[in-house]
Amino acid sequence: MHEMKMAIYFPKGKPDVLILIILFVVAGLFACNDDDEPEMASKVNYSGSFVKSTDAVTTSATGTTTATYDPNTMELSYTISWTGLGSNAAGMHFHDDGPVIVPITGFPAATSGTISGKATLTAQQALDLAASKIYAQIHTTTYPGGEVIARLNKSTSGGNPPPGNGGGGGY
């Protein structure tokens, strides 16, 4: 059997240059380690059940708002479903503990329905979402000030909202 040998020849007086190149290549390989990459934040699920907007409202309407927030894009994807409104839906939007932040268009002007959409939140709105200050509201022809609201709370692992997720009155 013939054995093949490999030899590395260094130019005279230049072996330290080659060693430096090898060290840089090896260091570069270690620098590409995935552990140094910033981790992307996970999406967060939110949900809320509709309750009457204020004590002055009389309604048997029910429904839910579910949403997923992506902190990497600051996008909120939502689905709003409702049934049993006292009159047709006339307006719909998300509030941030008071002011309207996301108007919703294209919803069915009906006593029951579903609509889905997306919105980009500001940094402050994202903080308010995490603090359960964001809620969906449906206005109707009978209650132009708002018939029902659903406050968004972080969903538990089972997909159900935590206790006390109602909208509360007076908004």
Side-chain angles (χ1 to χ4, degrees):
M1 203 147 81
H2 183 35
E3 201 174 310
M4 195 158 121
K5 292 185 180 181
M6 189 162 128
I8 298 176
Y9 295 98
F10 294 106
K12 283 191 171 185
K14 304 281 187 203
D16 45 339
V17 172
L18 185 59
I19 291 171
L20 283 174
I21 291 172
I22 292 170
L23 286 175
F24 278 116
V25 169
V26 170
L29 290 174
F30 284 110
C32 292
N33 186 336
D34 283 343
D35 292 342
D36 294 336
E37 295 295 318
E39 287 192 30
M40 302 302 277
S42 298
K43 292 181 180 181
V44 182
N45 294 319
Y46 291 86
S47 62
S49 296
F50 279 109
V51 298
K52 61 185 187 173
S53 287
T54 67
D55 290 336
V57 172
T58 302
T59 186
S60 58
T62 60
T64 59
T65 300
T66 57
T68 300
Y69 177 69
D70 184 342
N72 299 308
T73 62
M74 300 184 76
E75 185 175 79
L76 182 72
S77 301
Y78 59 86
T79 298
I80 300 172
S81 297
W82 67 97
T83 188
L85 293 174
S87 58
N88 287 341
M92 201 174 296
H93 39 253
F94 284 96
H95 288 263
D96 187 352
D97 244 2
V100 173
I101 59 167
V102 177
I104 300 170
T105 59
F107 58 86
T111 59
S112 298
T114 299
I115 189 162
S116 296
K118 295 180 181 188
T120 302
L121 302 182
T122 66
Q124 184 59 55
Q125 291 165 348
L127 290 172
D128 290 348
L129 176 64
S132 299
K133 294 181 180 181
I134 305 290
Y135 61 91
Q137 184 170 37
I138 301 176
H139 300 261
T140 61
T141 53
T142 303
Y143 294 103
E147 185 168 334
V148 291
I149 62 174
R151 186 168 298 278
L152 292 175
N153 288 292
K154 189 184 258 186
S155 296
T156 60
S157 60
N160 296 321
N165 80 318
Y171 298 102

